[in-house]
Amino acid sequence: MHWQDFLDFMTNFRTDRIMEQLAAWNIGNLSQNPYVLAGLVLAIAITFFLGWKAISGFIAGLGGFTYALSYAVSKGTGTEGLSGGGVWVLVGGGGVAIILFIYLLFIRSE
């Protein structure tokens, strides 16, 4: 692989291309889909009660961050996202998801 091939590959990770791909996947509707939310809650509850607290924490962190990302994308990005609160939801929701993930994975894992 040459340097130019690597640079061409890395252009796929530009913010505008990532947001276009998230919009193409229709991720903005995940925060309103009851089947997705019920599936996450059910997976977290099953793994927690089976004693798999590390997996439960991982699913809770991943699900929480996905929910925050979905809500932020549905509110909009850029300057319209600032007025709609999308960026603050992404930062706050991501922070809460990470705190819950760390608590369930490392602090409550004994």
Side-chain angles (χ1 to χ4, degrees):
M1 179 179 247
H2 298 290
W3 182 250
Q4 188 59 39
D5 295 335
F6 177 72
L7 291 177
D8 292 339
F9 175 73
M10 291 307 289
T11 59
N12 294 327
F13 298 104
R14 289 185 6 207
T15 305
D16 57 343
R17 290 197 180 173
I18 291 174
M19 293 310 294
E20 288 173 6
Q21 187 60 44
L22 289 175
W25 287 341
N26 205 10
I27 197 169
N29 291 339
L30 284 180
S31 62
Q32 301 169 354
N33 190 341
Y35 295 117
V36 171
L37 297 175
L40 279 173
V41 169
L42 185 63
I44 291 168
I46 288 172
T47 56
F48 186 78
F49 289 123
L50 285 177
W52 301 341
K53 295 193 175 41
I55 296 173
S56 176
F58 181 74
I59 294 172
L62 185 66
F65 189 72
T66 303
Y67 182 77
L69 181 66
S70 169
Y71 188 78
V73 168
S74 71
K75 289 291 186 183
T77 59
T79 56
E80 67 271 4
L82 288 175
S83 63
V87 173
W88 299 115
V89 168
L90 180 62
V91 171
V96 168
I98 290 171
I99 289 170
L100 181 64
F101 173 73
I102 290 172
Y103 174 74
L104 288 174
L105 191 62
F106 298 113
I107 297 173
R108 185 146 166 99
S109 64
E110 63 268 350

